[in-house]
């Protein structure tokens, strides 16, 4: 018992004797740490708190020795806790914290051993004091290390939680749209809110489709498309929109080429030339007092897109390893979103260009109808669709009005639309009835389905095909899964106060194209002069905010009050039904019907007698004189003679000759036969076979169309320039 008492008294005296030299001992410990762990002192906040932590540790130990306190009262000094937290913030491994504790306490214990040997009077006291110091030192080191590790882990968990929150926030805030510039700005904003004082985003011009680059083309051109500053940081360094290049041997060029990030320390007086885009920009950056920069490459799918720069001012700590990794993760996510936006924009632009090139640019002027049209691409991420419309002149002054919608979006839908539009024009050229045309078009879609690769979306489409005859004022139409058109009929001429009547014709809706085996039906109705037909795709009336019935009622209301101008009618419909960007593509075609009265049409019934051919020529010649087209008499008489002769020789009664004057001169000969004439090469001694060849040479167009009563052979001849210029319009 006496020996223990002597030992504690000795250690208490030893602690009182060392107290005046505490600062000297702390400095010895600090220099020892600097020599053993030099890499830790690159963090200024750690270097600042370390001396205080050592001083408090030493004071704590001397106090325990002097007062003889028990180890249960050991508490890690506040500065040492702060030291552990700073290590956690900078991502320094916990093993480094434990090594610091071992080095500090081992060096302190060594100093105590040395001082004990110097002042102890006997070897027995030295041995006893050494054993007591060793036990106390190891227990003190264990307890303080445990508390420091707990603080480290708690701070590390908080940091990781903040990092996870930041990453989640970045995932929410970055990539909200498929817009490249906006996505880059979202990256800059998130970085300025959480990581840096100044964030800039540069994208390669090739990534923006501004130019094509190659390895031999020299330094790549970049455009600064986004920049953000933290709260309280002046925004005088904003230079977005400018293009620039980085020298090939510069740090940004290496980061772009290798895809590896880089961390740099700079000073306000030594700003790299690549960082300042101009003399004014250099002054602005110098005023910010930048001290640390992260260069993070924006790569996606193995290709560079650009570069993000994160910069901190002198008032902030330099970037550490964890912050570098965090910036990489955020930039990587942003790069994927930028690439998605870029690819979407490129595909949408390609699809839109393809689609617009396939839609009619100049609707043909025709006496049958006056038209106005609109096409609006989708405003959603789904991309451009396969909506289309068309106006196709037919024989006999008739016109076909078409609207259709390919199911799906993107380039494939636009290309499919082009194929179907071509097919419709080809089938219309042989003058099929609407139901027959849709039947053949259905076969075309089925063949296209068979040609598609497995795993691709099945091709399907809807289509409405209408034919208007200005002579009879009859509209014939059929639908393949498409909404019926709206029909606007004007009020009676003597009722100026009445509004137009708007309705939808009774039209059997057939199945969408591509199902096969199901019939289509043609509906017919007569239209008063100056009626309007409004054809549209479902994007005009379908919306998540209202049902189709409500939209159709609104459409009817707009049409009942629509202005006389067809262009203004289109604008009124789009304004009322689509106040915002459409969720689906919209094709709209508005047609006002005209009529060809008796002054523009002449008809003669002819007996099946060869002697009637001369009479037919006389009818034609007399009608041309009435129309002031005597110059066309010779050619027209030859054409009429050949057509009537063919009908008498190969056709069946009744036979009819009809001449129509609109934008061209049309001659038609109809009979009840079903055999179609065709061109053939007559041999030297053949008595026939040259008639249709002669007709083909004398006219611009000729052809045959079949109907339920037989067939019609028709020709079209251009009008003389003078006659075409004064030709009267159809009856309204």
């Amino acid at each position: 018992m006496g020996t223990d008492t002597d030992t504690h008294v000795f250690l208490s005296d030893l602690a009182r004797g060392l107290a005046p030299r505490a600062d000297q001992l702390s400095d010895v410990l600090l220099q020892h740490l600097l020599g053993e762990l030099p890499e830790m002192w690159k963090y200024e906040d750690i270097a600042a708190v370390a001396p205080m932590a050592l001083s408090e540790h030493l004071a704590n130990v001397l106090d325990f020795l002097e007062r003889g306190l028990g180890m249960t009262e050991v508490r890690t000094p506040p500065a040492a806790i702060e030291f552990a937290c700073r290590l956690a913030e900078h991502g320094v491994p916990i093993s480094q914290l434990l090594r610091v504790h071992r080095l500090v306490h081992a060096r302190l214990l060594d100093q105590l051993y040395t001082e004990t040997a110097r002042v102890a009077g006997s070897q027995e006291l030295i041995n006893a004091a050494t054993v007591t110091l060793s036990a106390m030192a190891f227990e003190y080191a264990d307890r303080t290390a445990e508390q420091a590790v707990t603080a480290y882990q708690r701070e590390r968990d908080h940091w990781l939680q903040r990092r996870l929150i930041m990453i989640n926030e970045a995932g929410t805030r970055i990539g909200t749209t498929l817009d490249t510039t906006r996505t880059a700005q979202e990256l800059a904003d998130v970085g300025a809110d959480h990581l840096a004082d100044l964030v800039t985003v540069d994208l390669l011009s090739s990534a923006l489709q501004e130019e094509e680059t190659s390895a031999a083309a020299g330094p790549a051109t970049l455009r600064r498309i986004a920049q953000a500053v933290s709260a309280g940081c002046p925004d005088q360094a904003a230079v977005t929109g400018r293009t620039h290049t980085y020298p090939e041997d510069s740090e940004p060029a290496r980061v772009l080429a290798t895809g590896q990030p880089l961390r740099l320390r700079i000073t306000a007086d030594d700003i790299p030339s690549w960082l300042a885009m101009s003399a004014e920009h250099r002054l602005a950056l110098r005023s910010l007092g930048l001290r640390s920069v992260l260069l993070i490459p924006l790569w996606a799918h193995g290709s560079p897109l650009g570069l993000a720069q994160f910069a901190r001012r002198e008032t902030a700590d330099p970037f550490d390893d964890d912050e570098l990794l965090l910036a990489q993760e955020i930039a990587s996510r942003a790069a994927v979103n930028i690439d998605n936006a870029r690819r979407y924009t490129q595909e949408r632009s390609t699809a839109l260009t393809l689609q617009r090139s396939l839609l009619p640019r100049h609707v043909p002027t025709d006496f049958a109808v006056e038209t106005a049209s609109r096409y609006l691409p989708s405003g959603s991420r789904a991309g451009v669709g396969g909506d289309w419309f068309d106006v196709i002149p037919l024989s006999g002054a008739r016109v076909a009005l078409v609207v259709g919608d390919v199911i799906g979006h993107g380039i494939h839908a636009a290309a499919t639309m082009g194929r179907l539009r071509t097919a419709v024009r080809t089938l219309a050229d042989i003058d099929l009835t609407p139901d027959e045309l849709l039947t053949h078009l259905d076969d075309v879609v089925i063949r296209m389905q068979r040609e598609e690769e497995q795993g691709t979306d099945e091709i399907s489409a809807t289509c409405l095909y209408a034919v208007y005859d200005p002579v009879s004022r009859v509209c014939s139409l059929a639908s393949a899964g498409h909404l019926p058109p709206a029909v606007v009929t004007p009020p009676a001429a003597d009722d100026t106060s009445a509004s137009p009547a708007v309705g939808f014709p009774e039209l059997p809706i057939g199945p969408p194209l591509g199902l096969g085996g199901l019939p289509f039906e043609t509906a017919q109705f007569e239209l008063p002069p100056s009626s309007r037909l409004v054809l549209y795709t479902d994007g005009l009336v379908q919306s998540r905010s209202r049902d189709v019935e409500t939209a159709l009622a609104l459409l009817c209301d707009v049409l009942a009050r629509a202005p006389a101008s067809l262009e203004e009618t289109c604008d009124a419909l789009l304004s009322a039904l689509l106040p915002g960007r459409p969720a689906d593509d919209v094709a709209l075609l508005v047609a006002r019907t005209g009529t060809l009265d008796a002054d523009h049409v002449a008809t003669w019934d002819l007996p099946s007698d060869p002697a009637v051919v001369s009479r037919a020529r006389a009818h034609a010649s007399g009608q041309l004189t009435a129309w002031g087209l005597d110059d066309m008499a010779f050619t027209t008489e030859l054409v009429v003679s050949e057509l009537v002769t063919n009908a008498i020789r190969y056709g069946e009664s009744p036979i009819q000759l009809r001449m129509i004057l609109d934008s061209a001169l049309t001659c038609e000969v109809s009979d009840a036969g079903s055999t179609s004439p065709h061109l053939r090469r007559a041999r030297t001694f053949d008595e026939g076979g040259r008639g249709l060849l002669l007709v083909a040479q004398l006219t611009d167009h000729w052809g045959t169309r079949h109907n339920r009563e037989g067939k019609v052979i028709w020709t079209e001849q251009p009008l003389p320039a003078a006659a075409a210029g004064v030709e009267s319009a159809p009856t309204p």
Side-chain angles (χ1 to χ4, degrees):
M1 179 65 71
T3 303
D4 291 340
T5 301
D6 292 342
T7 302
H8 286 294
V9 171
F10 172 77
L11 292 177
S12 177
D13 292 339
L14 179 67
R16 279 192 297 271
L18 289 175
R21 298 163 49 198
D23 291 342
Q24 180 183 355
L25 288 175
S26 294
D27 188 61
V28 171
L29 296 176
L30 181 62
Q31 295 304 318
H32 181 63
L33 281 180
L34 288 173
E36 293 292 331
L37 300 171
E39 68 278 3
M40 290 185 57
W41 311 109
K42 63 183 179 180
Y43 304 110
E44 295 184 8
D45 55 341
I46 292 178
V49 77
M52 186 178 298
L54 290 174
S55 178
E56 290 183 358
H57 259 305
L58 180 58
N60 224 14
V61 170
L62 294 179
D63 186 56
F64 268 82
L65 290 176
E66 181 179 354
R67 298 167 56 190
L69 300 177
M71 287 297 106
T72 57
E73 300 182 42
V74 169
R75 294 292 182 270
T76 304
I81 296 294
E82 178 67 16
F83 181 81
C85 292
R86 292 299 177 93
L87 293 181
E89 288 179 0
H90 289 288
V92 177
I94 196 171
S95 59
Q96 291 290 77
L97 173 64
L98 295 175
R99 188 180 178 194
V100 168
H101 270 269
R102 288 196 301 271
L103 289 173
V104 167
H105 290 94
R107 188 63 174 175
L108 177 58
L109 186 59
D110 183 65
Q111 292 291 319
L112 292 174
Y113 286 159
T114 301
E115 194 64 20
T116 297
R118 187 178 67 83
V119 300
S122 64
Q123 187 63 43
E124 181 181 1
L125 184 57
I126 292 174
N127 293 339
T130 300
V131 171
T132 302
L133 282 174
S134 298
M136 291 178 61
F138 283 117
E139 187 170 358
Y140 179 89
D142 286 345
R143 288 181 177 273
T144 55
E146 180 181 355
Q147 295 170 13
V149 166
T150 301
Y152 175 98
Q153 195 61 52
R154 183 172 58 249
E155 183 63 28
R156 191 63 179 166
D157 290 343
H158 289 167
W159 192 93
L160 292 174
Q161 185 177 14
R162 291 196 301 271
R163 176 180 175 180
L164 181 59
I165 292 173
M166 182 179 173
I167 292 175
N168 289 338
E169 181 181 343
T172 302
R173 292 175 57 183
I174 299 175
T176 59
T177 66
L178 286 173
D179 181 88
T180 303
T181 302
R182 182 167 177 179
T183 302
Q185 186 60 53
E186 290 167 346
L187 166 62
D189 291 339
V190 170
D193 287 346
H194 296 283
L195 271 177
D197 294 310
L198 172 65
V199 182
T200 62
V201 180
D202 300 336
L203 291 187
L204 291 165
S205 296
S206 57
L208 295 170
Q209 288 88 43
E210 294 180 355
E211 64 179 27
E212 294 294 332
T213 59
S214 62
T221 302
L222 297 98
R223 178 177 294 276
R224 180 148 298 171
I225 65 170
Q227 180 168 285
V229 294
S230 62
C233 183
D235 59 357
Q236 55 186 346
V239 288
T240 56
R242 294 187 182 180
T243 58
H244 59 281
T245 59
Y246 291 120
E248 293 186 13
D249 59 346
S250 65
E251 288 85 351
R254 290 200 298 272
V255 170
L256 276 171
T258 63
Q260 298 300 316
L262 189 62
R263 182 173 50 199
L264 301 173
R265 298 193 67 174
I266 61 176
T267 64
D269 296 328
D270 187 24
I271 295 178
S273 58
W274 52 263
L275 188 59
M277 302 174 65
S278 64
E280 296 81 2
H281 192 209
R282 179 180 295 276
L283 292 175
L285 293 177
R286 184 173 296 171
S287 67
L288 291 177
L290 300 183
R291 68 178 301 174
S292 181
V293 176
L294 290 179
L295 301 179
I296 309 296
L298 299 175
W299 276 52
H301 301 98
S303 299
L305 299 176
L307 181 74
Q309 298 181 25
F310 299 79
R312 279 182 176 171
R313 307 169 70 187
E314 292 180 352
T315 55
D317 295 328
F319 292 103
D320 58 32
D321 294 337
D322 277 338
E323 289 167 332
L324 174 61
L325 293 175
L326 183 56
Q328 274 187 278
E329 185 164 356
I330 295 174
S332 177
R333 293 191 177 198
V336 172
N337 287 316
I338 289 173
D339 188 57
N340 290 340
R342 181 180 68 90
R343 291 171 181 269
Y344 167 79
T345 301
Q346 184 179 19
E347 180 175 341
R348 176 180 172 82
S349 176
T350 302
L352 189 57
T353 300
L354 173 62
Q355 187 174 47
R356 291 195 185 280
S357 69
L358 295 174
L359 290 173
R361 297 185 179 181
H362 304 288
V363 176
T365 57
D366 198 289
F367 281 179
V369 293
E370 175 191 357
T371 61
S373 59
R374 295 289 187 274
Y375 170 74
L376 294 181
S378 165
S380 69
R381 297 189 178 191
V384 175
D387 293 20
W388 90 93
F389 64 88
D390 212 343
V391 180
I392 309 172
L394 301 176
S395 64
R398 299 168 305 136
V399 65
L401 305 173
V402 190
V403 66
D405 183 2
V406 175
I407 307 303
H409 294 84
I411 294 179
H412 185 263
T416 302
M417 177 272 286
R419 296 171 69 182
L420 292 184
R421 177 172 178 259
T422 301
V424 170
R425 280 187 160 262
T426 302
L427 295 170
D429 196 48
I430 58 177
D431 269 320
L432 295 176
T433 60
D435 58 328
E436 291 176 340
L437 184 141
L438 291 181
T439 299
H440 286 284
L441 191 62
D442 187 47
D443 293 337
V444 170
V445 173
I446 292 174
R447 285 196 297 272
M448 292 169 63
Q449 291 173 348
R450 293 171 181 168
E451 294 170 359
E452 289 293 307
E453 297 181 359
Q454 290 186 353
T456 58
D457 294 336
E458 185 171 301
I459 296 174
S460 182
T462 64
C463 183
L464 178 72
Y465 184 81
V467 176
Y468 175 68
D469 187 342
V471 178
S472 64
R473 293 189 285 109
V474 170
C475 181
S476 306
L477 68 166
S479 170
H482 205 90
L483 293 170
V487 179
V488 185
T489 54
D494 56 354
D495 189 358
T496 57
S497 61
S499 299
V502 184
F504 299 94
E506 292 292 335
L507 173 64
I509 306 297
L513 299 172
L515 296 182
L518 298 174
F520 301 99
E521 296 182 49
T522 296
Q524 291 186 331
F525 52 90
E526 187 174 328
L527 290 173
S530 295
S531 297
R532 298 190 190 190
L533 284 169
V534 181
L535 288 71
Y536 50 90
T537 54
D538 56 7
L540 182 67
V541 295
Q542 286 187 347
S543 171
R544 294 179 180 177
S545 60
R546 63 173 179 240
D547 55 36
V548 175
E549 288 74 15
T550 302
L552 292 177
L554 179 59
L555 181 143
C556 292
D557 183 61
V558 173
L559 290 176
R561 298 178 288 103
S565 168
L566 298 186
E567 296 291 340
E568 293 179 5
T569 299
C570 290
D571 293 337
L573 286 171
L574 296 180
S575 177
L577 292 165
L578 300 172
R581 297 184 66 184
D584 194 5
D585 287 31
V586 176
L588 173 65
L589 178 63
V590 180
R592 179 161 43 217
T593 62
T595 61
L596 289 173
D597 56 19
D599 293 336
H600 291 78
V601 181
T603 305
W604 300 274
D605 293 323
L606 304 175
S608 182
D609 182 354
V612 82
V613 175
S614 61
R615 193 194 314 168
R617 289 198 298 266
H619 288 321
S621 178
Q623 189 60 53
L624 290 177
T625 299
W627 284 338
L629 300 175
D630 294 288
D631 292 342
M632 301 181 67
F634 177 74
T635 301
T636 305
E637 287 180 11
L638 284 176
V639 169
V640 168
S641 179
E642 290 298 333
L643 296 184
V644 172
T645 299
N646 269 330
I648 294 172
R649 181 176 297 179
Y650 304 110
E652 300 177 11
S653 295
I655 298 173
Q656 187 180 78
L657 169 64
R658 186 169 74 162
M659 296 177 66
I660 302 173
L661 178 63
D662 58 348
S663 57
L665 176 64
T666 302
C667 296
E668 297 181 345
V669 175
S670 61
D671 68 81
S674 59
T675 304
S676 298
H678 62 277
L679 291 176
R680 66 183 180 87
R681 183 177 298 278
R683 290 174 293 207
T684 304
F685 299 106
D686 284 352
E687 295 183 1
R690 298 177 178 85
L692 285 181
L693 181 61
L694 182 62
V695 168
Q697 297 298 316
L698 294 175
T699 61
D700 268 7
H701 307 286
W702 78 278
T704 305
R705 68 174 182 268
H706 292 267
N707 52 41
R708 291 177 175 82
E709 292 77 27
K711 68 176 182 296
V712 178
I713 306 175
W714 56 268
T715 65
E716 286 186 1
Q717 299 169 252
L719 299 178
V726 299
E727 180 56 39
S728 59
T731 302

